[in-house]
Amino acid sequence: MKIATALANSNIAIIKYWGNSNDELIIPSNNSISFTMDDKLQTKTTVILDEEFTIDELWINDQKATAKETERVASIIELVRIKAKSKLKAKIFSENSFPKGAGLASSASSFAALSGATCKAYSLGLNKKELSKIARMGSGSASRSIFGGAVEWIKGIRKDGEDCYAQEIAPKEKFKELRNIVAILERKEKKIGSREGMKITTSTSKNFENRLIEVEKRLKIAREAILDFDFEKLAPVIMEDSDSMHKVMKESNPSLIYMNDISHKIRKEIIELNKSSEKYLGAYTFDAGPNAHIYTLSKNTSKIKSILNEIEGVQEIIECGIGDGIRFSDSHLM
Ligand code: 2P0
């Protein structure tokens, strides 16, 4: 028997990934940038290999996974099995510290932890760059969760995706003051998953190509603002990119609407707060779900939280700092 356990945290993009140039190899249409969250948004995954196992089996939060969930995970296991030239089947146990789906990007931490634990169990001595490529195949954003701090997922130029991986821009120590205040509005799984939604947008949204041009400018500003850690410079770019992604989602056919009325109310409140303060106290960003992520500095968290607490429909508020990339543990789940 072989056993390995990995821990990975969620990441929340500030320059979003929405669309692939190659859907099979998960090569994104644009680079994306995220911050990796601290251990509050974490997945722990244990992979066990044994000659007696006849199929790959998966448990998530102590429950046997659905056929669809197992299939997606098994495809990553198979990828690693081929690289490792092994025939061993796996039992996988995974635990999340936060709700599945609903735009909280549990797939990012899940597929990052899965890739790490699987490669270790099959004794593939891969570096983080290679792990990031495997994680990418499970869920694009998972490629970024292999690293901590500020991370950029590079689309690369090769057709085979071999130069498509994430890398650290700056370590978490640089962002000791940075927080993401998460407002949970809904815990339901989203109706149209990201992979399907992205295909719809790239093939039908008339402004998708324009978005790609704008993204290049925002990537440049975001990298500079990260390296100098300048929140005043970073905040407007974060909000513009979220708005731009939700615009192309909405213009898709069928129209993809992930934000709800409460999300829009939060967005408006943050815009008003910044206006009345004459500086950026918060920067909102929304993923493929209604939940709000407000990036802010530690000195402004109580202000942001009190605004969110006043809004009807906010179910829970989670304050995250910036955290680590993938780690391994000897404390296994089973
Ligand atoms: C991102 N998202 O950059 C963007 C922003 C959602 C909106 O990457 O498993 O990582 O299909 O939910 O492919 C979500 O897409 O995850 C994503 P699935 P995937 O974080």
Side-chain angles (χ1 to χ4, degrees):
M1 190 183 89
K2 282 198 166 172
I3 187 163
T5 294
L7 300 160
N9 298 357
S10 171
N11 70 75
I12 299 300
I14 57 166
I15 304 292
K16 305 292 195 186
Y17 154 52
W18 194 258
N20 292 316
S21 61
N22 183 324
D23 285 320
E24 275 68 50
L25 295 175
I26 321 286
I27 303 177
S29 305
N30 60 272
N31 289 16
S32 53
I33 296 180
S34 58
F35 289 102
T36 301
M37 298 293 106
D38 67 19
D39 297 350
K40 282 187 192 133
L41 300 183
Q42 185 171 76
T43 301
K44 181 177 188 179
T45 299
T46 296
V47 173
I48 306 171
L49 311 179
D50 196 289
E51 281 173 5
E52 296 198 345
F53 299 163
T54 51
I55 49 168
D56 294 323
E57 280 183 293
L58 167 70
W59 283 262
I60 303 174
N61 295 337
D62 279 335
Q63 286 196 325
K64 190 84 196 274
T66 62
K68 203 174 151 198
E69 287 167 328
T70 308
E71 195 186 317
R72 194 160 162 188
V73 162
S75 70
I76 297 303
I77 305 272
E78 184 59 19
L79 209 84
V80 176
R81 213 164 12 225
I82 291 167
K83 278 187 194 287
K85 299 189 173 63
S86 169
K87 288 202 159 53
L88 293 175
K89 299 286 180 187
K91 279 197 201 306
I92 305 117
F93 299 89
S94 195
E95 263 177 18
N96 288 319
S97 63
F98 56 101
K100 264 201 294 172
L104 260 192
S106 67
S107 61
S109 53
S110 303
F111 281 100
L114 174 76
S115 306
T118 307
C119 288
K120 190 166 181 213
Y122 283 96
S123 309
L124 268 190
L126 296 181
N127 60 27
K128 284 190 168 185
K129 180 169 136 182
E130 296 304 317
L131 270 186
S132 164
K133 288 198 232 168
I134 291 175
R136 178 189 104 215
M137 299 303 289
S139 165
S141 57
S143 65
R144 299 188 305 242
S145 276
I146 299 295
F147 298 89
V151 182
E152 179 162 355
W153 174 18
I154 316 281
K155 63 181 178 176
I157 52 169
R158 287 177 58 148
K159 290 250 178 299
D160 61 5
E162 283 304 307
D163 59 353
C164 178
Y165 48 81
Q167 61 190 31
E168 184 191 278
I169 304 177
K172 68 167 189 178
E173 286 70 25
K174 200 169 183 111
F175 311 103
K176 284 199 177 105
E177 307 303 316
L178 186 63
R179 299 287 182 277
N180 171 13
I181 311 294
V182 189
I184 298 189
L185 314 181
E186 240 176 56
R187 292 172 187 279
K188 283 195 303 244
E189 295 270 350
K190 53 194 175 231
K191 275 192 238 92
I192 298 187
S194 296
R195 280 198 178 174
E196 195 189 338
M198 287 180 200
K199 281 188 199 167
I200 295 172
T201 300
T202 50
S203 58
T204 65
S205 182
K206 64 179 191 308
N207 274 306
F208 184 68
E209 293 300 323
N210 282 344
R211 166 168 162 76
L212 296 184
I213 296 167
E214 290 167 21
V215 161
E216 290 306 319
K217 296 178 198 157
R218 285 195 286 268
L219 282 166
K220 185 170 175 292
I221 300 169
R223 280 182 210 116
E224 289 165 4
I226 283 169
L227 290 172
D228 305 333
F229 191 44
D230 180 346
F231 189 73
E232 278 292 303
K233 188 168 169 176
L234 195 56
V237 174
I238 295 176
M239 294 185 281
E240 273 167 38
D241 198 67
S242 174
D243 289 348
S244 149
M245 181 182 73
H246 286 276
K247 181 171 181 268
V248 294
M249 287 166 160
K250 194 175 167 195
E251 287 172 352
S252 304
N253 185 13
S255 182
L256 303 170
I257 310 279
Y258 290 108
M259 289 166 70
N260 66 19
D261 290 350
I262 311 162
S263 323
H264 285 287
K265 174 122 180 53
I266 294 173
R267 178 182 175 275
K268 231 172 109 201
E269 292 274 347
I270 298 297
I271 291 173
E272 274 164 25
L273 170 74
N274 290 337
K275 217 179 251 169
S276 63
S277 323
E278 294 183 359
K279 62 195 291 223
Y280 291 105
L281 297 197
Y284 60 77
T285 186
F286 297 87
D287 282 336
N291 297 330
H293 297 269
I294 315 297
Y295 276 109
T296 186
L297 297 173
S298 53
K299 61 182 179 203
N300 298 320
T301 53
S302 46
K303 179 89 206 143
I304 302 288
K305 282 186 193 172
S306 72
I307 290 171
L308 294 173
N309 269 317
E310 291 288 302
I311 296 174
E312 206 179 319
V314 173
Q315 295 184 6
E316 192 183 337
I317 293 172
I318 305 172
E319 179 179 339
C320 283
I322 309 308
D324 295 306
I326 192 160
R327 284 137 291 155
F328 296 94
S329 165
D330 290 328
S331 141
H332 305 295
L333 300 170
M334 49 174 116

